[in-house]
Amino acid sequence: MFTIGDFARHGRVSVRMLRHYDATGLLRPAHVDPASGYRYYTAAQLARLNRIIALKDLGFVLQQVRDIVDERVGVEELHGMLRLRRAELESARAAAEARLVQVEARLRAIESEGHMPTNDVVIKSVPAVRVAELTATAASFGPEDVGPVIGPLYDELFRCLGSAGITPTGPGVAYYEDAPEGGGRISVHAAVQVSAPLQDGAFRVLDLPPLGQAATIVHRGSMDTVIPTAQTLARWTDANGYRSNGYPREVNLECPGNADDWVTELQAPVTRA
């Protein structure tokens, strides 16, 4: 047998934690000396300790841990609980990584303040273009809200075009409008250039109107990191006597598998102030 100190060292836990597990009935000592009150554990109890720690690390509360290690939960139910918890942790990790990307984008935007571009922005006219599109609503214009909406929209759009036998003839064009329901919500249009008859069915084919005057800038990288580029465009627009006249379009010039290698042109409609 092991003293509580030895058992704690072998189990890589604290003595205080073992005492707590004893008090709650989660892990009782194999033997308690009636005279001294010293606790003693066996090597076989390491298996139970390992399960307790693993389940706690997965986020289960002590009552759930007790039910599982005492085999009050069947194997299939246990597997289901573990799969669900794994999915929750993966979702939380993805959300944390997305927030980190946005924090880094904001930091880059802050670092670029006061550095006015001279050659990055081009004023030009944008001709009308025929596109096929699907539309959905995002909670805001922030990348953290737009990204989870526009990605699935494009996946579904290309699936629909494939089923209809329509091949895109040009790049994707994402554009945005204030949603009819208001509240800061945004109508997200995931579009791609096509040469097909106008239609309004499983997807819509329409002629996207021209932009008489657009301030344009090229963004390189994932659209999750677009904020510094978009704010560079905004600063240039204000400094050069123009007024923004709507949300910028996003024309996907290059979209390889790695989003960090994307090349996207922002086309912001402007008028002279």
Side-chain angles (χ1 to χ4, degrees):
M1 287 191 178
F2 301 106
T3 65
I4 190 170
D6 287 337
F7 189 72
R9 283 191 291 273
H10 290 304
R12 303 297 178 93
V13 297
S14 68
V15 169
R16 182 179 58 82
M17 183 178 291
L18 290 177
R19 287 174 177 156
H20 177 64
Y21 290 164
D22 181 14
T24 58
L26 191 57
L27 179 59
R28 299 287 195 189
H31 174 70
V32 177
D33 187 295
S36 65
Y38 289 168
R39 299 171 175 88
Y40 294 91
Y41 296 81
T42 67
Q45 289 180 286
L46 287 170
R48 182 180 178 93
L49 177 62
N50 289 337
R51 284 160 175 74
I52 291 170
I53 301 302
L55 291 166
K56 279 185 75 267
D57 287 345
L58 283 171
F60 292 110
V61 300
L62 288 184
Q63 183 57 53
Q64 291 174 308
V65 172
R66 182 181 292 107
D67 290 342
I68 293 170
V69 296
D70 287 343
E71 298 182 352
R72 296 174 190 166
V73 175
V75 173
E76 286 302 317
E77 186 177 356
L78 174 58
H79 284 174
M81 294 169 67
L82 293 174
R83 284 194 295 268
L84 176 61
R85 185 56 184 160
R86 181 178 62 187
E88 292 172 346
L89 291 173
E90 289 174 347
S91 177
R93 180 178 64 184
E97 290 173 348
R99 284 195 297 271
L100 180 59
V101 168
Q102 294 309 312
V103 167
E104 291 173 346
R106 293 290 179 182
L107 285 173
R108 283 194 293 274
I110 291 170
E111 291 165 358
S112 68
E113 291 173 1
H115 302 287
M116 187 59 62
T118 56
N119 301 318
D120 292 335
V121 179
V122 175
I123 292 288
K124 65 182 180 182
S125 61
V126 177
V129 61
R130 180 159 295 187
V131 298
E133 72 168 33
L134 288 176
T135 304
T137 301
S140 79
F141 193 49
E144 69 279 5
D145 290 324
V146 171
V149 172
I150 199 166
L153 274 182
Y154 268 116
D155 290 342
E156 178 64 13
L157 176 62
F158 287 123
R159 188 194 67 79
C160 290
L161 292 177
S163 297
I166 297 175
T167 301
T169 57
V173 182
Y175 67 102
Y176 309 90
E177 301 170 305
D178 291 326
E181 58 266 37
R185 297 176 181 83
I186 300 296
S187 293
V188 177
H189 302 266
V192 64
Q193 294 183 27
V194 296
S195 57
L198 300 176
Q199 71 172 69
D200 195 355
F203 56 90
R204 188 180 180 201
V205 177
L206 71 155
D207 290 326
L208 201 57
L211 299 177
Q213 209 169 37
T216 67
I217 190 171
V218 173
H219 171 69
R220 300 181 185 277
S222 165
M223 293 305 292
D224 289 336
T225 64
V226 75
I227 289 174
T229 306
Q231 292 188 358
T232 293
L233 182 59
R235 288 196 299 273
W236 186 96
T237 299
D238 185 59
N240 287 272
Y242 290 93
R243 181 175 64 249
S244 176
N245 195 29
Y247 292 96
R249 295 177 184 176
E250 299 165 356
V251 180
N252 310 125
L253 302 179
E254 297 179 22
C255 289
N258 186 349
D260 292 336
D261 296 327
W262 287 2
V263 179
T264 306
E265 184 179 66
L266 305 186
Q267 300 175 343
V270 295
T271 55
R272 273 290 181 185

